[in-house]
Amino acid sequence: MKTSSLPLISVQNLTVEFGTREGPVTAVRDVSFDLARGETLGIVGESGSGKSVTSFALMGILDANGQVAQGEMTYSGIDLRRASPRQMRDIRGREISMIFQNPRSALNPIRKVGLQIEDILREHAVAVGGHARRQAVELLDRVRIRDPEKRYHAYPHELSGGMCQRVVIALALACKPRVLIADEPTTGLDVTTQKTIMDLIRDLATEQGLSTILITHDLGLAANYCGRIVVMKRGEVVEAAPVDVLFGAPRHPYTRALIEATPRRSGTVRALLPPDDFRHGQPDPKPRCRALSAPLLTVEGLTKEFGAEGSGFGWLPWRKGVETDKAFRAVDDLSFELHAGESLGLVGESGCGKSTTSMMIMRLLDPTQGSVRLDGEEISAIPSSKFARHPARAKLQFVFQDPTDSLNPRFTAARCISDPILRLGKLEGGKAVKARVEELADLVNLPLELLSRFPHQLSGGQKARVGIARAVALNPSLLILDEPTAALDVSVQAVVLNLLADLRAQLGMSYLFVSHDLNVVRLLCERVVVMRAGIIVEEGATDQVMTTPKTAYTRELLASSPEPPPTLGALEAAE
Amino acid sequence: MKSWARLRMVLGRVGQALPALFGVIVVTFILTRALPGDPAVYFAGPAADEASIQQIREALGLDRPLYEQFVYYLGDLASGNLGVSISTGQPVLEELARRLPASLELTLGALLLSLAIAIPMGVLAATNPGRPIDHICRVIATAGVSLPTFFTGIALVFVFYYLLGWSPAPIGRLDFAYLSPPPITGFYTIDALLDGDPETAMAAAGQLLLPMITLALFTLAPIARMTRGAMLQALGSDFIRTAKAAGLSQRVILIRYAFRNAMLPVITTLGMVFSFTLGANVLVEKVFAWPGIGSFAVDALVVSDYAAVQGFVLTMAMLFVLLNLLIDIAYTLIDPRIEANG
């Protein structure tokens, strides 16, 4: 037995390269860190920081074109870099396990989850025959899956995302490993699910004496569950420190920027920007509030049912009266108002009906019941197929969640932005359109030379700007923002949120901000509506909902979102 | 509970095939009515006068309204009456029943052979993308599909029968020296084995081999390409990464995780491949004097034997519907993700 002071995992000067057509690309450069026994280490970084590649290299599961170019990796004294494939296979799953992002796709879609657990038990000869089956059910029980006997027979598509992640955790812990690497384990899950999954991982780790590496983009999450954090940027470690030191006195400007950009329960939009941005300390832009005017958008008794029409064979005589699938009410008797110049947040977890609501207001979906009035004009009666050409359409614009998928890959940025102008605008002639597109690009701080590029040649933040420029092209009075920053890195999110705040102040639009994250919605909206299962649970001024929530659900929602510890600056300001 | 739902789903698929079958019957009915020429004139012969033509027209029911004719047509179909082939003088149904097994034996044999070669080839190519083996597989598959079947057939006959003498003469299903086995399945090789006559079985298999290879070469490409693509996609998916991270062995990952998932799209393409194999069959049967329904149909078409052509079209169409039904059912049973009303 070696001394316990020896790290369990040690990575020294790790460099990973990927062979591409343009020659080798270094994804990870000179990365070093140690993982002590029983420790929880966070590796935090934005996309492209090399945090996942580091863990893949550690596990020896890099893609075929990737290779460790330099450095040493040891696990409990074993040289991982020079271990034989056979040795590595024994280490994977039995000594070091890994769980992944997108739990649903991380499971074999056509194999029962119980059998997938059994596969691993058998592979490592932990259990055989009927014993393996019993153990698989036990494992499902241990990750707090209710009714494990029944769930053993479930296929991944029959389980929710959170359930799938529990199964993946069961897979990872099946052979009682000593190290668990969790790569973005809760990205894409709801905040309340995120909390239960993270708590589960923490509890199981304590129970089994696991050392954990948590890889995440979310500094707040890492701060809540890790003892020490390694911050990575573009393949390099910029800073490694215990949590309180990291937040109390970040040494690297990037760490500082990352801490600032993480949305919290308080603070301004401007404060999200990096400290060296000249706007950092400035007060937030003031919207031109006209809250006393007549409501811009009135939603009354809005209801959407799915599956109510039956199977399509209802007209057949022998299908008459046959009970078809029960109609599912995605949105149930929803009513709210939005005044000109005001911003309203629509908050809830996935499946709460917030996106369905925004689609009905946008007239992309026909409501089952209820009315939507825009500027006093009833628009819910216009069929969704006709609304695209309706004059009221120009007043309503939409910014989508995925900046990549919502842009036509064959259109240049300029063509994307000009699309609504050409369809609904009154501008004549290429010159006028071009001038307007350039004006819009200026408005969203998109460099003009990027206008001739195609979406795949733009970064995520630039694509988000193109989407926003396109949405404001016709000077809409209402902009519906459906999770506009959910797919972006926090530093980019900070910039985009500031841009949205500026645009609102300049153009006097109203926002309907749809999001799962109260901390983000809070930054732009004066009022919020909290939805759950198609109905409004709570409605009120943002500050009031954030500080003194009236319902248990809102309280749970607030408690679930991880709050990073206060920075030194914030502490000083409080004194 | 669950198996109930599956059974209901399967029955649902069968139910969905019925309208397609009915459509096939309607189309063949209209097809024969739309063909140029008056069948009554045709049947009456060149020497007939107006009165006798009218008489035949009445006898054939051609003076009735179309819907009534259709009802008669349905009645005939139900009783298995497909008319008489004028070129052979035999009832079309008997003719087809005798020839269909020959065609099916050839087509299914070719398809099995092709699968046995193409799937391992696709898997090999997918597990070694960009390596020499991948390129070799591509070349073989491309060559197979670019050579017309009649050419490959004749080339094979030339080499293996004429030059090397390894293969029997391309004169149909069985050499004259053997008696055809008692019909049980209609497939000579299987029937002979069931009859306990391995010698005849070998002879039949020998006759079958060259045309089978000819057809198999032709169908290699789509199956191999599809397998390669599906396998590459499966190997690149997240659950393979999970399996690797859990330390599963290469064999389990490749077969149980990647291959089974990759087979789903391949099964779907099989229906399409089968249909064009049947098409290619016509030429191969001609080259090898194979007494199948393809060569029968070509002969019938040449001499305007409408009853025979109609019977052929009907049989082929039914075959397609049934095959696609089988593939659908197989898919429903294999892929748990297909919902009951999906």
Side-chain angles (χ1 to χ4, degrees):
Chain A
M1 194 76 198
K2 287 177 185 166
T3 52
S4 60
S5 63
L6 207 71
L8 197 54
I9 284 186
S10 170
V11 175
Q12 296 299 325
N13 311 101
L14 176 72
T15 297
V16 180
E17 284 180 354
F18 283 90
T20 65
R21 270 179 209 170
E22 283 86 36
V25 172
T26 309
V28 168
R29 181 177 291 123
D30 206 16
V31 164
S32 306
F33 62 85
D34 287 339
L35 177 71
R37 275 163 222 277
E39 189 192 11
T40 303
L41 176 73
I43 300 183
V44 177
E46 299 186 293
S47 51
S49 64
K51 54 192 193 302
S52 291
V53 173
T54 306
S55 63
F56 291 168
L58 205 55
M59 294 285 280
I61 54 168
L62 283 172
D63 285 340
N65 60 344
Q67 58 150 344
V68 176
Q70 243 175 9
E72 298 300 323
M73 303 178 289
T74 55
Y75 161 74
S76 167
I78 303 169
D79 185 347
L80 293 179
R81 205 184 151 188
R82 285 167 198 89
S84 70
R86 163 105 230 141
Q87 261 177 313
M88 275 318 285
R89 217 163 59 220
D90 284 343
I91 289 174
R92 288 197 291 260
R94 191 142 65 175
E95 303 292 334
I96 312 176
S97 270
M98 196 161 174
I99 58 177
F100 300 93
Q101 198 177 343
N102 283 333
R104 205 185 296 271
S105 62
L107 292 169
N108 187 344
I110 59 168
R111 195 162 171 78
K112 289 175 178 175
V113 295
L115 288 176
Q116 298 191 41
I117 298 176
E118 270 190 40
D119 284 341
I120 288 156
L121 290 171
R122 280 177 219 277
E123 181 73 41
H124 294 290
V126 172
V128 285
H131 191 60
R133 197 195 146 137
R134 257 203 319 283
Q135 210 161 322
V137 174
E138 251 168 52
L139 277 162
L140 288 175
D141 188 44
R142 199 175 320 148
V143 293
R144 325 262 199 277
I145 287 181
R146 256 174 287 156
D147 218 348
E149 282 282 350
K150 212 168 144 196
R151 294 289 166 263
Y152 174 93
H153 296 286
Y155 289 98
H157 72 275
E158 294 166 337
L159 301 174
S160 68
M163 279 292 163
C164 283
Q165 192 59 290
R166 281 163 204 255
V167 174
V168 176
I169 294 172
L171 282 178
L173 299 184
C175 299
K176 301 206 169 54
R178 293 206 286 162
V179 179
L180 177 71
I181 303 177
D183 186 359
E184 302 270 10
T186 55
T187 308
L189 300 178
D190 285 327
V191 275
T192 51
T193 319
Q194 162 165 298
K195 187 163 164 36
T196 49
I197 293 285
M198 285 310 301
D199 288 353
L200 177 71
I201 293 176
R202 188 188 54 200
D203 295 349
L204 289 172
T206 324
E207 263 171 50
Q208 304 192 0
L210 272 175
S211 310
T212 319
I213 298 179
L214 172 67
I215 297 169
T216 178
H217 67 280
D218 188 342
L219 206 51
L221 190 73
N224 273 277
Y225 291 93
C226 302
R228 219 151 47 85
I229 291 179
V230 172
V231 180
M232 287 185 72
K233 183 195 182 188
R234 293 204 191 133
E236 291 177 66
V237 172
V238 297
E239 188 163 357
V243 170
D244 48 340
V245 177
L246 192 82
F247 279 86
R251 277 178 295 130
H252 198 278
Y254 178 73
T255 315
R256 223 168 301 150
L258 210 55
I259 292 173
E260 296 289 351
T262 306
R264 293 154 182 273
R265 228 157 280 174
S266 59
T268 59
V269 183
R270 287 296 191 233
L272 294 179
L273 291 167
D276 53 358
D277 191 298
F278 71 94
R279 294 173 295 177
H280 178 72
Q282 289 179 359
D284 281 359
K286 281 269 170 299
R288 290 189 263 166
C289 209
R290 287 172 290 170
L292 293 174
S293 60
L296 173 68
L297 177 77
T298 313
V299 172
E300 257 174 26
L302 198 63
T303 299
K304 179 72 190 176
E305 285 182 358
F306 286 109
E309 290 85 3
S311 66
F313 282 104
W315 50 272
L316 291 173
W318 61 88
R319 303 280 307 206
K320 286 258 160 70
V322 172
E323 182 110 7
T324 46
D325 300 322
K326 271 266 167 59
F328 166 67
R329 280 204 167 188
V331 175
D332 193 357
D333 197 18
L334 200 73
S335 304
F336 62 83
E337 274 183 2
L338 176 62
H339 290 269
E342 190 191 25
S343 278
L344 178 70
L346 205 56
V347 180
E349 298 189 287
S350 54
C352 75
K354 58 188 194 299
S355 287
T356 310
T357 307
S358 68
M359 301 255 283
M360 282 193 285
I361 295 170
M362 196 63 211
R363 305 296 305 108
L364 294 170
L365 266 181
D366 285 326
T368 312
Q369 247 174 0
S371 89
V372 177
R373 284 197 300 278
L374 183 69
D375 257 347
E377 187 185 358
E378 179 66 51
I379 57 169
S380 64
I382 309 162
S384 56
S385 49
K386 298 246 169 66
F387 190 64
R389 306 218 165 273
H390 196 270
R393 177 65 180 74
K395 290 191 225 163
L396 261 178
Q397 291 292 335
F398 208 102
V399 177
F400 298 90
Q401 174 171 2
D402 192 320
T404 309
D405 282 356
S406 57
L407 296 179
N408 186 334
R410 303 222 166 263
F411 279 6
T412 60
R415 178 72 183 80
C416 284
I417 297 173
S418 66
D419 206 33
I421 306 173
L422 297 174
R423 280 171 199 279
L424 290 161
K426 302 198 169 53
L427 285 180
E428 293 289 329
K431 272 225 180 84
V433 173
K434 186 160 178 276
R436 174 69 182 146
V437 168
E438 283 174 1
E439 190 187 335
L440 286 162
D442 265 343
L443 201 61
V444 298
N445 298 326
L446 186 73
L448 292 183
E449 64 267 23
L450 297 183
L451 280 175
S452 57
R453 293 207 188 166
F454 288 94
H456 70 269
Q457 298 166 312
L458 298 170
S459 71
Q462 288 162 348
K463 278 182 276 199
R465 280 166 218 238
V466 172
I468 293 169
R470 176 176 64 179
V472 299
L474 293 173
N475 287 322
S477 40
L478 174 62
L479 205 57
I480 300 177
L481 307 158
D482 189 358
E483 306 260 15
T485 59
L488 303 174
D489 279 327
V490 277
S491 58
V492 183
Q493 165 173 289
V495 176
V496 170
L497 288 174
N498 272 284
L499 170 65
L500 287 168
D502 287 335
L503 283 176
R504 196 180 145 214
Q506 277 175 35
L507 305 174
M509 291 176 287
S510 295
Y511 287 165
L512 181 65
F513 195 132
V514 180
S515 174
H516 67 282
D517 192 345
L518 266 168
N519 286 348
V520 170
V521 166
R522 175 187 76 73
L523 294 164
L524 286 181
C525 302
E526 295 89 57
R527 273 198 311 133
V528 284
V529 167
V530 180
M531 280 183 77
R532 185 190 200 183
I535 56 169
I536 295 177
V537 226
E538 183 158 357
E539 185 178 1
T542 313
D543 289 340
Q544 178 258 310
V545 173
M546 294 287 293
T547 50
T548 51
K550 282 192 273 251
T551 61
Y553 179 67
T554 315
R555 270 196 292 278
E556 191 193 342
L557 213 55
L558 281 167
S560 300
S561 67
E563 176 78 359
T567 56
L568 200 63
L571 285 177
E572 278 166 1
E575 274 164 14
Chain B
M1 199 31 218
K2 230 174 197 172
S3 53
W4 244 131
R6 300 245 135 212
L7 184 68
R8 275 238 317 269
M9 233 188 298
V10 169
L11 289 179
R13 292 264 184 260
V14 174
Q16 281 166 22
L18 291 178
L21 279 180
F22 185 75
V24 166
I25 292 170
V26 173
V27 168
T28 46
F29 173 76
I30 293 171
L31 199 68
T32 46
R33 285 347 182 242
L35 283 175
D38 188 339
V41 177
Y42 185 79
F43 276 103
D49 58 358
E50 198 55 42
S52 59
I53 290 175
Q54 185 59 32
Q55 204 179 351
I56 286 172
R57 190 170 285 146
E58 273 164 34
L60 290 175
L62 290 172
D63 56 334
R64 310 283 177 84
L66 220 52
Y67 67 87
E68 232 174 274
Q69 289 185 36
F70 185 64
V71 172
Y72 282 124
Y73 176 67
L74 285 182
D76 278 348
L77 279 186
S79 61
N81 180 8
L82 291 178
V84 174
S85 161
I86 47 165
S87 46
T88 62
Q90 302 277 330
V92 171
L93 187 70
E94 266 175 44
E95 200 73 62
L96 287 174
R98 202 156 41 77
R99 290 162 169 275
L100 187 61
S103 287
L104 282 183
E105 187 178 28
L106 178 56
T107 311
L108 291 177
L111 217 52
L112 282 180
L113 181 69
S114 173
L115 285 175
I117 300 169
I119 289 181
M121 217 162 90
V123 172
L124 263 182
T127 43
N128 303 288
R131 303 245 183 89
I133 184 115
D134 186 17
H135 297 303
I136 292 169
C137 291
R138 198 197 322 269
V139 168
I140 294 175
T142 314
V145 81
S146 13
L147 296 173
T149 46
F150 60 84
F151 172 77
T152 345
I154 290 169
L156 286 175
V157 168
F158 179 71
V159 174
F160 290 100
Y161 168 64
Y162 182 76
L163 287 184
L164 299 171
W166 293 354
S167 157
I171 46 161
R173 302 182 76 183
L174 208 50
D175 198 88
F176 300 121
Y178 298 93
L179 284 174
S180 51
I184 303 166
T185 58
F187 294 0
Y188 278 11
T189 39
I190 296 172
D191 286 350
L193 282 179
L194 289 174
D195 194 38
D197 182 0
E199 207 183 323
T200 311
M202 281 306 291
Q207 293 287 352
L208 190 61
L209 205 57
L210 281 193
M212 210 165 86
I213 292 173
T214 311
L215 267 181
L217 275 176
F218 187 61
T219 50
L220 218 55
I223 301 173
R225 300 296 293 169
M226 198 66 208
T227 309
R228 180 181 180 271
M231 199 64 191
L232 272 179
Q233 206 194 354
L235 282 172
S237 50
D238 287 355
F239 60 86
I240 295 295
R241 199 180 52 194
T242 313
K244 273 188 200 158
L248 290 185
S249 69
Q250 193 66 19
R251 195 176 50 85
V252 172
I253 290 176
L254 216 56
I255 295 170
R256 203 178 291 164
Y257 282 73
F259 183 68
R260 287 199 194 167
N261 275 284
M263 275 307 97
L264 294 174
V266 175
I267 287 172
T268 323
T269 32
L270 266 191
M272 207 180 67
V273 171
F274 184 81
S275 68
F276 74 68
T277 315
L278 273 178
N281 226 345
V282 174
L283 287 171
V284 176
E285 283 178 9
K286 271 279 159 212
V287 170
F288 289 91
W290 198 259
I293 55 171
S295 48
F296 171 67
V298 172
D299 293 341
L301 204 58
V302 169
V303 297
S304 303
D305 186 352
Y306 289 146
V309 171
Q310 179 186 307
F312 171 76
V313 172
L314 205 58
T315 316
M316 290 301 245
M318 294 233 183
L319 223 52
F320 284 151
V321 172
L322 286 179
L323 186 89
N324 280 304
L325 175 66
L326 278 180
I327 284 173
D328 255 9
I329 290 174
Y331 207 96
T332 314
L333 293 179
I334 295 170
D335 192 346
R337 281 166 297 185
I338 293 176
E339 295 292 322
N341 35 359

Coordinates of all heavy atoms in Angstrom, one line a residue, chain B residues 2-36:
Chain B
K2 N -47.3 -6.1 -23.0 CA -46.5 -5.5 -24.1 C -46.5 -6.3 -25.3 O -46.6 -5.8 -26.4 CB -45.0 -5.4 -23.6 CG -44.5 -4.1 -23.7 CD -43.1 -4.0 -23.1 CE -42.8 -2.5 -22.9 NZ -41.6 -2.4 -22.2
S3 N -46.5 -7.7 -25.2 CA -46.5 -8.5 -26.4 C -47.9 -8.4 -27.1 O -48.0 -8.5 -28.3 CB -46.2 -10.0 -26.0 OG -47.1 -10.4 -25.0
W4 N -48.9 -8.1 -26.3 CA -50.2 -7.8 -26.9 C -50.1 -6.6 -27.8 O -50.6 -6.7 -28.9 CB -51.2 -7.5 -25.7 CG -52.3 -8.5 -25.6 CD1 -52.7 -9.0 -24.4 CD2 -53.2 -9.0 -26.6 NE1 -53.8 -9.9 -24.7 CE2 -54.1 -9.8 -26.0 CE3 -53.3 -8.7 -28.0 CZ2 -55.1 -10.5 -26.7 CZ3 -54.2 -9.4 -28.7 CH2 -55.1 -10.3 -28.1
A5 N -49.5 -5.6 -27.3 CA -49.4 -4.3 -28.1 C -48.7 -4.6 -29.4 O -49.0 -4.1 -30.4 CB -48.7 -3.3 -27.2
R6 N -47.6 -5.4 -29.2 CA -46.8 -5.7 -30.4 C -47.7 -6.5 -31.5 O -47.6 -6.2 -32.6 CB -45.6 -6.6 -30.0 CG -44.7 -6.0 -29.1 CD -43.3 -5.8 -29.7 NE -43.0 -4.4 -29.3 CZ -42.2 -3.6 -30.0 NH1 -41.8 -4.0 -31.1 NH2 -42.0 -2.4 -29.6
L7 N -48.4 -7.5 -31.0 CA -49.3 -8.3 -31.8 C -50.3 -7.4 -32.5 O -50.5 -7.5 -33.8 CB -50.0 -9.4 -31.0 CG -50.8 -10.3 -31.9 CD1 -49.9 -11.2 -32.8 CD2 -51.7 -11.2 -31.0
R8 N -50.9 -6.4 -31.8 CA -51.8 -5.5 -32.3 C -51.2 -4.7 -33.4 O -51.8 -4.5 -34.5 CB -52.4 -4.6 -31.2 CG -53.5 -5.1 -30.4 CD -54.7 -4.2 -30.5 NE -54.4 -2.8 -30.4 CZ -54.4 -2.1 -29.3 NH1 -54.7 -2.7 -28.2 NH2 -54.1 -0.8 -29.2
M9 N -49.9 -4.3 -33.2 CA -49.2 -3.5 -34.1 C -49.0 -4.3 -35.4 O -49.1 -3.8 -36.5 CB -47.8 -3.1 -33.5 CG -47.5 -1.7 -33.5 SD -45.9 -1.4 -33.0 CE -45.8 -2.0 -31.4
V10 N -48.6 -5.6 -35.3 CA -48.3 -6.4 -36.4 C -49.6 -6.6 -37.2 O -49.6 -6.4 -38.4 CB -47.8 -7.8 -36.0 CG1 -47.8 -8.7 -37.1 CG2 -46.4 -7.6 -35.4
L11 N -50.7 -6.8 -36.5 CA -52.0 -7.0 -37.2 C -52.4 -5.7 -37.9 O -52.9 -5.7 -39.0 CB -53.1 -7.4 -36.2 CG -53.0 -8.8 -35.7 CD1 -54.1 -9.1 -34.6 CD2 -53.1 -9.8 -36.8
G12 N -52.1 -4.6 -37.3 CA -52.3 -3.3 -37.9 C -51.6 -3.1 -39.2 O -52.1 -2.7 -40.2
R13 N -50.3 -3.6 -39.2 CA -49.5 -3.5 -40.4 C -50.2 -4.4 -41.5 O -50.2 -4.0 -42.7 CB -48.1 -4.0 -40.2 CG -47.3 -3.1 -39.3 CD -46.4 -2.2 -40.1 NE -45.6 -1.4 -39.3 CZ -45.9 -0.2 -38.9 NH1 -46.9 0.5 -39.4 NH2 -45.1 0.5 -38.1
V14 N -50.6 -5.6 -41.1 CA -51.3 -6.4 -42.1 C -52.5 -5.7 -42.7 O -52.7 -5.7 -43.9 CB -51.7 -7.8 -41.4 CG1 -52.5 -8.6 -42.4 CG2 -50.4 -8.5 -41.0
G15 N -53.3 -5.1 -41.8 CA -54.4 -4.4 -42.2 C -54.1 -3.3 -43.2 O -54.8 -3.0 -44.2
Q16 N -53.0 -2.6 -42.9 CA -52.6 -1.5 -43.8 C -52.2 -2.0 -45.2 O -52.1 -1.3 -46.2 CB -51.4 -0.7 -43.2 CG -51.8 0.2 -42.2 CD -50.7 0.7 -41.3 OE1 -49.5 0.7 -41.8 NE2 -51.0 1.2 -40.1
A17 N -51.8 -3.3 -45.3 CA -51.4 -3.9 -46.6 C -52.6 -4.2 -47.5 O -52.5 -4.2 -48.7 CB -50.5 -5.1 -46.4
L18 N -53.7 -4.3 -46.9 CA -54.9 -4.7 -47.6 C -55.3 -3.7 -48.7 O -55.5 -4.0 -49.9 CB -56.1 -5.0 -46.7 CG -56.0 -6.3 -45.9 CD1 -57.1 -6.4 -44.9 CD2 -55.8 -7.5 -46.8
P19 N -55.3 -2.4 -48.3 CA -55.6 -1.4 -49.4 C -54.7 -1.4 -50.5 O -55.0 -1.3 -51.7 CB -55.6 0.0 -48.6 CG -55.7 -0.4 -47.2 CD -55.2 -1.8 -47.0
A20 N -53.4 -1.7 -50.2 CA -52.4 -1.8 -51.3 C -52.7 -2.9 -52.2 O -52.6 -2.8 -53.4 CB -51.0 -1.9 -50.7
L21 N -53.1 -4.1 -51.6 CA -53.4 -5.2 -52.4 C -54.6 -4.9 -53.3 O -54.6 -5.3 -54.5 CB -53.7 -6.4 -51.6 CG -52.5 -7.2 -51.0 CD1 -53.0 -8.4 -50.2 CD2 -51.7 -7.7 -52.2
F22 N -55.6 -4.3 -52.8 CA -56.8 -3.9 -53.5 C -56.4 -3.0 -54.7 O -56.8 -3.2 -55.8 CB -57.8 -3.3 -52.6 CG -59.1 -3.0 -53.3 CD1 -60.0 -4.0 -53.6 CD2 -59.4 -1.7 -53.7 CE1 -61.2 -3.7 -54.3 CE2 -60.6 -1.4 -54.4 CZ -61.5 -2.4 -54.6
G23 N -55.5 -2.0 -54.4 CA -55.0 -1.1 -55.4 C -54.4 -1.9 -56.5 O -54.6 -1.6 -57.7
V24 N -53.6 -2.9 -56.2 CA -52.9 -3.7 -57.2 C -54.0 -4.3 -58.2 O -53.8 -4.3 -59.4 CB -52.0 -4.8 -56.6 CG1 -51.6 -5.8 -57.6 CG2 -50.8 -4.1 -55.9
I25 N -55.0 -4.9 -57.5 CA -56.0 -5.5 -58.3 C -56.7 -4.5 -59.3 O -56.9 -4.8 -60.5 CB -57.1 -6.2 -57.4 CG1 -56.4 -7.4 -56.7 CG2 -58.3 -6.7 -58.1 CD1 -57.2 -8.0 -55.5
V26 N -57.0 -3.3 -58.7 CA -57.7 -2.3 -59.6 C -56.8 -1.9 -60.7 O -57.2 -1.8 -61.9 CB -58.0 -1.1 -58.7 CG1 -58.5 0.0 -59.6 CG2 -59.1 -1.4 -57.7
V27 N -55.5 -1.7 -60.4 CA -54.6 -1.3 -61.5 C -54.5 -2.3 -62.6 O -54.5 -2.0 -63.8 CB -53.2 -0.9 -60.9 CG1 -52.2 -0.8 -62.0 CG2 -53.3 0.3 -60.1
T28 N -54.3 -3.6 -62.2 CA -54.2 -4.7 -63.2 C -55.5 -4.7 -64.1 O -55.4 -4.9 -65.3 CB -53.9 -6.0 -62.6 OG1 -54.8 -6.3 -61.6 CG2 -52.5 -6.2 -62.2
F29 N -56.6 -4.5 -63.4 CA -57.9 -4.5 -64.1 C -57.9 -3.4 -65.2 O -58.2 -3.6 -66.3 CB -59.0 -4.4 -63.1 CG -60.4 -4.2 -63.7 CD1 -61.1 -5.3 -64.3 CD2 -61.0 -2.9 -63.8 CE1 -62.3 -5.1 -64.9 CE2 -62.2 -2.7 -64.3 CZ -62.9 -3.8 -64.9
I30 N -57.6 -2.2 -64.7 CA -57.6 -1.0 -65.6 C -56.6 -1.2 -66.7 O -56.8 -0.9 -67.9 CB -57.4 0.3 -64.8 CG1 -58.6 0.5 -63.9 CG2 -57.2 1.4 -65.7 CD1 -58.4 1.6 -62.9
L31 N -55.4 -1.7 -66.3 CA -54.3 -1.9 -67.3 C -54.8 -2.7 -68.5 O -54.6 -2.4 -69.7 CB -53.2 -2.6 -66.6 CG -51.8 -2.5 -67.3 CD1 -51.3 -1.1 -67.2 CD2 -50.8 -3.4 -66.6
T32 N -55.5 -3.9 -68.2 CA -55.9 -4.7 -69.3 C -57.0 -4.0 -70.1 O -57.1 -4.2 -71.3 CB -56.4 -6.1 -68.8 OG1 -57.2 -5.8 -67.7 CG2 -55.3 -6.9 -68.4
R33 N -57.8 -3.2 -69.5 CA -58.9 -2.5 -70.2 C -58.3 -1.4 -71.0 O -58.8 -1.0 -72.1 CB -59.9 -1.9 -69.3 CG -60.9 -2.8 -68.6 CD -60.9 -4.2 -69.2 NE -61.9 -5.1 -68.7 CZ -61.5 -6.2 -68.1 NH1 -60.2 -6.5 -67.9 NH2 -62.4 -7.1 -67.7
A34 N -57.1 -0.8 -70.6 CA -56.6 0.3 -71.3 C -55.6 -0.1 -72.4 O -55.3 0.7 -73.3 CB -55.8 1.2 -70.3
L35 N -55.3 -1.4 -72.5 CA -54.4 -1.8 -73.5 C -55.1 -1.6 -74.9 O -56.3 -1.8 -75.0 CB -54.0 -3.3 -73.3 CG -52.9 -3.5 -72.3 CD1 -52.7 -5.0 -72.1 CD2 -51.6 -2.9 -72.6
P36 N -54.3 -1.3 -75.9 CA -55.0 -1.1 -77.2 C -55.6 -2.3 -77.8 O -55.1 -3.4 -77.5 CB -53.8 -0.6 -78.1 CG -52.6 -1.1 -77.4 CD -52.9 -1.1 -76.0

